[in-house]
Each structure stands twice: as structure tokens, then as C-alpha cells.
Amino acid sequence: MTALFAGLISGTSADGIDAALVEFDDHGHPSLLTSITHPYPAPLRAHLERAVRAQAFPLAELAVLDAAIADAFGDAADALLTAAGVEAAAVSALGSHGQTLGHYPGGVHGNTLQVGDPNRIAARSGIPVVADFRRADMAVGGQGAPLAPLFHAMVFGSESERRAVLNLGGIANLTILDPGCDISGFDVGPANTLLDGWADRHGHGRYDTGGAFAATGTVDRVLLEELLREPFLAAAPPKSTGREYFNLGWLDVRLGVQHRDPADVQATLAEYTVTTIADALKAYGTGVARVYVCGGGVGNTDLIRRLEARLPMPLASTTELGVDPDFVEAMLFAWLARERINAHSPAGLANVTGAQARAVLGGVWLPPRKL
Ligand SMILES: Nc1ncnc2c1ncn2[C@@H]1O[C@H](COP(=O)(O)OP(=O)(O)O)[C@@H](O)[C@H]1O
Ligand SMILES: [Mg+2]
């Protein structure tokens, strides 16, 4: 029997909630039925930005954000079902990633914090919610990220060639898929997060549309070398990162007081993203026949052009494999919800996240019973 699951995520970029309604066939193969991006209301986005930048804010604000973000996720689920013309009762479960406020892997008490109270989403939608995916992996020593590689293997894997899947979100993550079995994956470094921050600071909006700003600049090789000295890049997987590490504060320390043309810095940041990806593929992607790209960065023409110029293998959007690159992550959370509800094999991938065991990912929140 086919089954419907929905997936909801707002990623590192906090640009809005991507929502996907996914139909799974008898073999568990997913097809994307309907997808929408539901923007955060402007005041909530401003609140969220402040919170993420501040790194320290009152507990009361954290509690309020948890509820406000949940309500925005509830709105997104609502809008998705309306767009699809599907009743809530027809959806088996809703997988919600929530919004990451902080990701601190490693150490004795490493942890990761996603907010968007699942109780509220379940009460609002009337659909069982599966959420809190990352902490189960962290509880057994994993990084809690990336979670996508198993899903990438199922949807994008090939029996005959070695492939890579490159997700260009706020952070870039890379999955290497060998024909047959082996799957590896890790966070490479910043994809869009520094580009977004710098574009915003210099009056180019929340992101550099098409990479037009970067395209007018000249790469500053000295600065690029300085940025490339970042130890995270040379560290061996498993590894994951986020905005609490790669942010404008991080960049400002490296820029120092020297005056630089803002467009040149933007071009250098684009080249930085591309160089870190090329280096990661050189180290871990020997024999990769093709790189399939997904995530919002697919819309950055300048970034894609630079990648094409730099990578030794051809690049293609996941569209070529029949999947909309903007909704791969949302589909992942629909899939994770199904894995959890149907109690399939644990979805955690120890050799990707570094966990000591494969954990069953996600808790289940049932809608409150109506009296
Ligand atoms: N047309 C575009 N031009 C340039 N960048 C884009 C465009 N569309 C999306 N992006 C980039 O993609 C990011 C969102 O990508 P997404 O995959 O949603 O990331 P995340 O998972 O971090 O939210 C935006 O912040 C922006 O940097
Ligand atoms: Mg996003």
C-alpha cells in the first residue's frame, strides 16, 4: 500500500520552511507530490536572526521561539496540505526537523538544539509528528549530522558508478555513494552562510541572487589562503558544523583591519566554498563519475559556474535524477518519519556521523485526544 508522509525543515540559512508531501510506494520508494516553501513571518525571522547571532539570550526568549517556530511549522504543514488538496487524516506522519539554534558536536556533553515544539505541530495539524532526529545519534557519540546520506543512497545511488551528492545549503555537505554498499558523508564547510551574511551586510539583500555580487569581484588570493588555513577543513570525517562556527564574526577576525572591496570579499567567499568542495572531493571522492547538486545554492549561477570550472568531473542538478533540488532535504524528513513510524532498521548511519551504534532516530508526538 502506498502511504503519504510529509517532511518539514528550515535549515541553517533560516530562509524559510521547506515542506514536502511524499508518497512512498510498496517498496518504500519516494515520489514528491507537492512542495512549498513557507517563509517565516518577518518579525519571527528578525527574532530568530537576533537569537542566532547573539549566541546568548534570555531563556524566556528561547521558550517563546520554540512555540513561535512550531506555529510557523504548523502553518507550513497547513499550506502544504491545502496546496496538495489532501486531508490531514490521509497523512501517516509529519517529520519535522525544526530550526537549529545551535549545533555543538563533540566533547563529553556535546549537543545540538532544534526548536519548534512538536506538541504544538501535532495539536495544530492533527497528524502524528516525528521530530528530534539529531540528538538520538549524538546520544551514542555521533555528530548528529549529516542525516541525508542513507536517503541519498536510496534515491541517487547507482549500481554501476561512484557518485557524489553535494548539498549547497547554509553549510555544504557531501555524500559519496559507491555502487553496491559503502556510503560516506560529512559537512565540508560553509556553502552559502558566509555569502549570505556578507551580501546582507553590504546591502545586497538576504542572499546574493544568482551570485551577481560575487561575479563583479576579483578573488583575493591572500585572503583565500588565510581562510583555507581553517583547521575544520583538514580534519578527517566524521565532522559537522554550522553557523555558530562559520559566521561573520569568524570572517571579521580573518579580514582584520585592512580595507577590502566588498565585491572582492564576496568573490573570495564564493571561491572559498568551491575550493573546500574541490579539496574534499580530491581527498574522499576518488573515482566519482558525477556530482549531483541540491540545495538552494543550485540557484547561485556564479557559484555553480565556479564549481564547474574547478571540479574534474561533470556536475548535474538532482533534477537529472528526477528530484527537485530544493526539496531533497524536506523529502529526507518525510522519509525519516516513515522509517521511525514503520520501525524499519535504525536510520542512523554510524560510519557517517561517528556514532558507536545505529540509533533509531526521532521521537513520536501523537496529536492530543479530543474529548
Ligand atoms: N537564486 C539564488 N541565488 C543565489 N543563492 C540562492 C538562490 N536561491 C537560494 N539561494 C541560496 O540558498 C540558500 C538556501 O538554501 P537551503 O538549501 O534552503 O539552505 P538551508 O538548508 O541552510 O536553509 C539561501 O540562503 C541562499 O544562500
Ligand atoms: Mg532553507
Side-chain angles (χ1 to χ4, degrees):
M1 255 228 332
T2 62
L4 293 181
F5 286 83
L8 300 171
I9 176 169
S10 173
T12 320
S13 306
D15 55 322
I17 303 158
D18 296 327
L21 185 66
V22 182
E23 183 176 76
F24 291 87
D25 68 16
D26 292 345
H27 307 287
H29 187 81
S31 311
L32 180 60
L33 293 188
T34 307
S35 55
I36 60 158
T37 296
H38 186 78
Y40 278 130
L44 176 58
R45 170 177 281 172
H47 190 173
L48 182 59
E49 276 298 316
R50 264 201 323 277
V52 171
R53 282 192 190 154
Q55 290 282 303
F57 54 97
L59 272 178
E61 263 195 60
L62 173 62
V64 169
L65 265 180
D66 189 34
I69 286 170
D71 290 348
F73 272 65
D75 289 343
D78 226 31
L80 176 70
L81 296 194
T82 304
V86 165
E87 296 288 321
V91 181
S92 303
L94 213 157
S96 173
H97 171 267
Q99 175 68 57
T100 297
L101 287 192
H103 182 71
Y104 312 100
V108 183
H109 292 128
N111 203 359
T112 184
L113 179 63
Q114 284 78 44
V115 296
D117 181 7
N119 294 289
R120 289 176 87 93
I121 306 175
R124 164 78 184 276
S125 63
I127 303 171
V129 172
V130 187
D132 199 8
F133 294 98
R134 299 194 186 275
R135 293 196 302 168
D137 181 75
M138 277 208 174
V140 284
Q143 297 265 318
L147 299 179
L150 258 187
F151 182 70
H152 288 167
M154 186 179 69
V155 185
F156 303 128
S158 155
E159 306 243 304
S160 55
E161 64 178 23
R162 194 171 203 218
R163 291 176 172 174
V165 182
L166 174 65
N167 178 43
L168 297 173
I171 299 295
N173 59 278
L174 188 66
T175 302
I176 308 289
L177 301 170
D178 282 332
C181 50
D182 256 20
I183 306 167
S184 58
F186 55 91
D187 282 353
V188 175
N192 292 305
T193 191
L194 298 174
L195 290 167
D196 286 358
W198 190 257
D200 188 32
R201 183 188 279 182
H202 292 278
H204 291 263
R206 270 192 47 83
Y207 59 80
D208 179 11
T209 307
F213 180 33
T216 62
T218 305
V219 174
D220 179 333
R221 295 281 154 198
V222 177
L223 175 61
L224 180 62
E225 287 307 316
E226 168 67 25
L227 301 182
L228 287 169
R229 274 196 282 276
E230 164 56 44
F232 178 84
L233 304 176
K239 57 179 176 173
S240 62
T241 190
R243 267 174 83 177
E244 52 291 308
Y245 193 95
F246 289 104
N247 52 41
L248 286 187
W250 176 92
L251 179 62
D252 285 337
V253 168
R254 283 143 186 91
L255 287 174
V257 291
Q258 190 185 329
H259 174 75
R260 289 183 169 90
D261 180 68
D264 291 352
V265 174
Q266 188 76 352
T268 307
L269 292 174
E271 202 62 27
Y272 183 54
T273 292
V274 166
T275 307
T276 57
I277 292 165
D279 289 350
L281 276 164
K282 198 167 165 198
Y284 300 101
T286 316
V288 163
R290 191 177 285 262
V291 178
Y292 290 94
V293 195
C294 57
V298 170
N300 186 328
T301 318
D302 173 74
L303 193 64
I304 297 297
R305 188 183 50 75
R306 288 177 197 271
L307 268 173
E308 277 172 338
R310 177 61 77 85
L311 298 185
M313 67 290 274
L315 205 68
S317 151
T318 55
T319 311
E320 285 199 19
L321 298 176
V323 182
D324 184 336
D326 285 328
F327 293 96
V328 174
E329 293 260 289
M331 289 177 74
L332 160 69
F333 286 92
W335 176 74
L336 282 169
R338 179 178 180 272
E339 292 291 302
R340 180 67 184 80
I341 294 287
N342 290 1
H344 288 305
S345 56
L349 201 56
N351 64 329
V352 170
T353 64
Q356 283 133 27
R358 288 178 68 171
V360 175
L361 303 182
V364 182
W365 281 257
L366 298 177
R369 258 188 245 170
K370 295 208 173 79
L371 295 173

